Amino acid sequence: MTFWRNYYHITWATKYREERITKDLETELFAYIISKAKELGVFIYAINGWSDHLHIVCAIPPKLSVSEVIQKLKGASSYQVNHIIQPEIGNFHWQRGYGCLSVGEKQRSIAVAYVENQKKHHAESTTNAWLEAASEYDEGPKDGGIQADKKIKENQAVYTTITDPYPF
């Protein structure tokens, strides 16, 4: 069996950031997303949002890519809203893109608390810009990482000095 701990804080928004997620819709929409995630083997630890976006803290198995999971959750949930939950309203769509940050074991409870308190954060204007970010474009790190022409040499085995049972 594979050992893995891949936690993520993911957010995505409604198309044009329209305020389409009502309290009535939210209950059924979130329940459906949790159910669909379970089908994929994704563990949801928290789901919540605001009228124009949602947040999820989850664990995604390494056999699935983050983008694949998000694509399936967004596609299936918009279909569910348009054809099952609110067919009389229809025209519910998610925007292209999303925001995704990895979360360590130690930070997971903090991420869960942030997501669970979404309504309070928005009502009190205490949101965190990094955690609210979602984009239609590929906006990776600005620094570009290590250049390919440089060689890396470790002086010491990195993992031999880790003694904390939850180092990440």
Side-chain angles (χ1 to χ4, degrees):
M1 284 306 243
T2 303
F3 174 83
W4 57 276
R5 299 292 184 272
N6 300 329
Y7 302 110
Y8 301 95
H9 181 152
I10 299 169
T11 184
W12 66 77
T14 57
K15 192 167 187 175
Y16 306 122
R17 286 277 185 167
E18 292 177 344
E19 295 184 354
R20 300 288 307 270
I21 305 173
T22 64
K23 188 166 178 77
D24 291 337
L25 173 60
E26 179 181 272
T27 303
E28 290 187 69
L29 174 63
F30 292 175
Y32 179 78
I33 290 172
I34 292 167
S35 173
K36 188 66 178 174
K38 186 176 182 179
E39 282 179 21
L40 297 170
V42 174
F43 303 111
I44 301 282
Y45 294 96
I47 184 169
N48 203 350
W50 195 239
S51 59
D52 65 350
H53 70 280
L54 64 78
H55 293 257
I56 295 173
V57 175
C58 64
I60 299 176
K63 67 181 180 181
L64 300 172
S65 71
V66 174
S67 62
E68 176 184 11
V69 168
I70 294 170
Q71 177 187 18
K72 289 181 179 187
L73 293 179
K74 286 169 64 176
S77 63
S78 63
Y79 181 90
Q80 184 76 4
V81 170
N82 287 323
H83 294 89
I84 309 298
I85 299 173
Q86 294 182 339
E88 68 284 357
I89 298 173
N91 203 27
F92 180 90
H93 302 285
W94 297 112
Q95 77 171 16
R96 290 185 47 187
Y98 54 89
C100 178
L101 297 169
S102 59
V103 178
E105 184 82 34
K106 290 181 177 181
Q107 295 81 30
R108 191 179 78 198
S109 62
I110 298 166
V112 166
Y114 183 82
V115 170
E116 288 175 345
N117 288 300
Q118 269 295 287
K119 310 264 185 302
K120 181 180 177 186
H121 287 303
H122 283 279
E124 297 176 0
S125 298
T126 58
T127 57
N128 179 310
W130 275 92
L131 301 178
E132 297 291 326
S135 178
E136 293 188 39
Y137 308 101
D138 186 3
E139 295 185 32
K142 302 287 187 229
D143 61 13
I146 297 172
Q147 300 304 313
D149 60 334
K150 293 184 181 179
K151 295 182 180 180
I152 301 170
K153 183 176 181 183
E154 296 176 344
N155 295 332
Q156 166 186 354
V158 177
Y159 292 104
T160 59
T161 59
I162 295 175
T163 57
D164 185 344
Y166 297 104
F168 302 106

